[in-house]
Amino acid sequence: QVQLVESGGGLVQPGGSLRLSCAASGSIFRINAVGWYRQAPGKERELVATISSSGITNFADSVKGRFTISRDNAKKTVYLQMNSLKPEDTAVYYCNAAIIRFLGGPGMPYWGKGTLVTVSP
C-alpha cells in the first residue's frame, strides 16, 4: 500500500512562513510528478504548485514569488516552502503524487489527507 502524509501546517501571522512536507511511504518504485493543492472553506480545490520528476516547477499566479516547491527523492518527500503568507492562503493543503509501484507499472495518482494552514493575526 502507498501512503502520502502531509505535515507542517499550523497557525501563522500574515507575512510569516511555513514549510509543508509530503512524505510517501509503502511499496514505491518511482514517484513522478507531485502537486500541492489547497481548498479554502466554501471554495473548490485549486492547484498551487507542481514539480516534475526532473525538478521542473510550476506555480499558480497567486503564489508566484512567495512559494517554492522542492523534492528529496531519497527521502520520498516533497516540500512546499511558503513565505509572505496572506490570509487568503488559509486552506487545507493536499499533496498529490503520480506513483509507479513496480517496474513497468502504471503511474497512479495518490492523495494525502491534508494539513491545515491558517493565516491570521
Side-chain angles (χ1 to χ4, degrees):
Q1 194 63 297
V2 172
Q3 278 193 320
L4 294 180
V5 178
E6 302 95 336
S7 61
L11 174 63
V12 63
Q13 292 186 342
S17 297
L18 282 175
R19 189 177 81 155
L20 306 184
S21 299
C22 171
S25 63
S27 178
I28 297 171
F29 174 71
R30 188 173 70 218
I31 301 173
N32 285 342
V34 178
W36 280 98
Y37 293 73
R38 67 186 180 187
Q39 188 166 17
K43 294 188 176 181
E44 293 187 354
R45 191 171 297 189
E46 63 174 353
L47 180 62
V48 175
T50 61
I51 185 165
S52 71
S53 57
S54 60
I56 297 172
T57 60
N58 282 289
F59 298 91
D61 288 343
S62 59
V63 306
K64 279 182 182 176
R66 300 189 297 122
F67 290 11
T68 58
I69 186 171
S70 60
R71 61 192 294 162
D72 184 331
N73 290 328
K75 294 183 178 179
K76 297 186 178 68
T77 300
V78 172
Y79 305 97
L80 184 69
Q81 178 67 45
M82 307 186 296
N83 300 326
S84 303
L85 283 161
K86 304 176 182 180
E88 51 264 42
D89 294 317
T90 295
V92 178
Y93 284 71
Y94 301 89
C95 68
N96 169 271
I99 294 176
I100 299 173
R101 297 189 61 188
F102 52 88
L103 179 63
M108 300 296 292
Y110 291 87
W111 286 93
K113 293 184 179 180
T115 184
L116 177 63
V117 172
T118 303
V119 185
S120 179

